[in-house]
Amino acid sequence: MSRQSYIFTSESVSEGHPDKVCDRISDTIVDLYLARDAEARVACETLCTTNRIVLAGEVRCSCPIDNDEIEQAAREAVHDIGYEQEGFHWKHAALENYLHEQSTDIAMGVDAAGNKDEGAGDQGIMFGYATRETPELMPAPLQYAHRILRDMAKARKADTSLGLEPDAKSQVTLAYENGKPVRATSVVVSTQHREGLTPADVREIVRPFVEAVLPAGWMCPEEEFYVNPTGNFVIGGPDGDCGLTGRKIIVDTYGGAAPHGGGAFSGKDPTKVDRSAAYIARYLAKNVVAADLADRCTIQLSYAIGVAKPLSIYVDTHGTGRCDEARLEKVLGEAVDLSPRGIRERLGLNRPIYARTAAYGHFGRTPDADGGFSWERTDLADELKSLAG
């Protein structure tokens, strides 16, 4: 039997965190290509450091995009985040572009040809998860950690006199009783700020954002409320720490409450199952819970490069299921085409919808009218109820 009383922690990082700056740039390049060609192939990695941005990877597009347009898109992404600092400035940072044509060997294995359906862009395992802890069916510690930083970022952009800068991290620790979160035991927020603000100033700037996100009565003890524990945080972002695409995979997913297959999402077009299969796994897990077939659900999918069908479908409802897990595995495989093409068509993934996913989590978000976050829909729940009997 799983533990019912425990303490669990998840962290988030803001859009101005160095790794998230890189994720945002990489996903902006994905969107740039998909807006030009829905079948474009993109694998874009970004490195950021003091006043320098480096792009590298592989692309294929029926309408080639020149270096000036790529550079402009990258700079606009940094500008939107809010970096106009001496050590990292959207306009003045040097930018190097090493994107090149996709390998023909990879293209041969992935593309559809003759009687061969389009195959997965790589081998790997992908996980999806859902839980009743929050209305979004996400783990509560992560959802609260995301919301604190997202609200701070909105306020920073709306009111420059607040004194906050783009780089920030949060960490929320919750106590669970009878398997449900009941209160925060500690909260950590570290945020970059303007020169001249004292630690006490920053603490009181941050406090209302935390109190507004946590449910009433859940605020941690004052001695467990940590804001900028090191004292000063003026130098931040890529000037303070080198950033790379794909280093915040637990922040991007479930905050450690569920397994992770190891593959990052940002910078990859949806033929890469690291991304698309993780999205469909979340979609399936969320719909299982939304259908009241379980209170918690973990789903694993696996693929081989160049092969269309998944090699395995695994379901774990953690003892909360109201349907046999083996039956659920069969039902999910019948309800949804889990080939790479089937996933993209089901979720409408061949669209420029990815830059918005680069910060504050790929899951637990509200589906957008243009198809963004389509994997958060619960439109499969009724069908699953029927199929599961």
Side-chain angles (χ1 to χ4, degrees):
M1 180 179 292
S2 60
R3 293 178 64 190
Q4 295 297 297
S5 297
Y6 54 92
I7 294 175
F8 191 82
T9 303
S10 293
E11 71 156 347
S12 180
V13 297
S14 74
E15 63 203 71
H17 184 280
D19 295 331
K20 281 291 150 201
V21 173
C22 295
D23 286 347
R24 173 66 178 275
I25 293 171
S26 292
D27 274 337
T28 295
I29 302 306
V30 172
D31 284 353
L32 179 66
Y33 275 89
L34 290 177
R36 201 67 54 86
D37 176 5
E39 300 299 326
R41 301 287 189 266
V42 185
C44 177
E45 309 293 340
T46 304
L47 177 149
C48 288
T49 186
T50 302
N51 270 331
R52 186 170 297 275
I53 300 167
V54 180
L55 308 180
E58 304 79 45
V59 296
R60 189 178 81 198
C61 186
S62 62
C63 304
I65 299 174
D66 64 36
N67 288 343
D68 288 345
E69 194 169 355
I70 292 170
E71 177 173 337
Q72 180 182 355
R75 293 189 185 281
E76 287 176 356
V78 176
H79 180 251
D80 183 67
I81 292 169
Y83 274 112
E84 295 183 320
Q85 300 171 2
E86 182 179 351
F88 193 71
H89 196 294
W90 68 273
K91 184 183 292 185
H92 306 310
L95 191 146
E96 301 171 48
N97 179 6
Y98 298 105
L99 293 170
H100 59 83
E101 284 294 310
Q102 182 189 50
S103 160
T104 55
D105 289 347
I106 293 176
M108 179 177 63
V110 174
D111 291 348
N115 294 324
K116 174 186 174 297
D117 194 7
E118 179 184 295
D122 202 351
Q123 71 176 46
I125 57 175
M126 300 83 202
F127 287 92
Y129 181 70
T131 173
R132 290 199 185 281
E133 290 179 20
T134 63
E136 299 86 0
L137 304 185
M138 285 288 288
L142 179 67
Q143 201 69 359
Y144 297 148
H146 282 326
R147 283 171 55 190
I148 290 167
L149 294 185
R150 198 171 188 183
D151 289 353
M152 286 173 58
K154 288 180 181 178
R156 167 178 62 83
K157 292 178 177 180
D159 182 5
T160 57
S161 68
L162 200 58
L164 298 179
E165 294 288 354
D167 194 359
K169 302 177 78 170
S170 65
Q171 187 168 284
V172 175
T173 302
L174 299 183
Y176 284 70
E177 296 177 1
N178 298 318
K180 296 181 180 180
V182 295
R183 66 183 179 279
T185 61
S186 66
V187 175
V188 184
V189 179
S190 295
T191 180
Q192 187 184 19
H193 59 86
R194 302 263 176 87
E195 186 75 69
L197 288 176
T198 68
D201 293 334
V202 179
R203 185 182 186 87
E204 295 313 309
I205 292 171
V206 168
R207 184 187 301 276
F209 294 102
V210 177
E211 293 178 339
V213 165
L214 294 177
W218 280 36
M219 185 63 180
C220 64
E222 188 65 18
E223 63 271 18
E224 295 296 330
F225 179 40
Y226 303 96
V227 178
N228 284 12
T230 59
N232 210 41
F233 191 179
V234 173
I235 299 173
D239 186 30
D241 190 11
C242 180
L244 293 169
T245 299
R247 287 206 298 196
K248 289 292 176 284
I249 58 177
I250 300 302
V251 170
D252 285 344
T253 52
Y254 306 104
H260 194 291
F265 304 156
S266 290
K268 299 175 181 177
D269 74 76
T271 65
K272 279 71 170 176
V273 284
D274 280 343
R275 179 168 226 158
S276 56
Y279 287 175
I280 201 71
R282 162 64 177 174
Y283 174 74
L284 296 177
K286 187 174 184 180
N287 276 273
V288 166
V289 174
D292 201 30
L293 298 176
D295 294 328
R296 289 174 61 205
C297 182
T298 298
I299 292 177
Q300 185 207 59
L301 303 174
S302 68
Y303 291 84
I305 189 168
V307 178
K309 66 179 180 67
L311 305 185
S312 64
I313 305 171
Y314 168 77
V315 175
D316 182 2
T317 55
H318 307 277
T320 71
R322 287 170 278 280
C323 177
D324 179 71
E325 289 159 329
R327 175 156 179 76
L328 270 179
E329 290 165 359
K330 182 174 184 295
V331 163
L332 294 173
E334 292 173 349
V336 177
D337 179 356
L338 295 174
S339 69
R341 183 189 299 278
I343 293 170
R344 294 204 316 282
E345 291 177 352
R346 177 85 189 201
L347 299 180
L349 298 181
N350 284 87
R351 291 184 266 193
I353 55 174
Y354 298 105
R356 70 193 76 171
T357 70
Y360 314 117
H362 291 245
F363 308 125
R365 310 286 287 273
T366 302
D368 294 326
D370 67 351
F373 301 105
S374 58
W375 47 94
E376 292 297 311
R377 301 190 312 246
T378 54
D379 54 347
L380 188 64
D382 288 342
E383 183 180 349
L384 289 182
K385 281 184 184 179
S386 176
L387 289 171

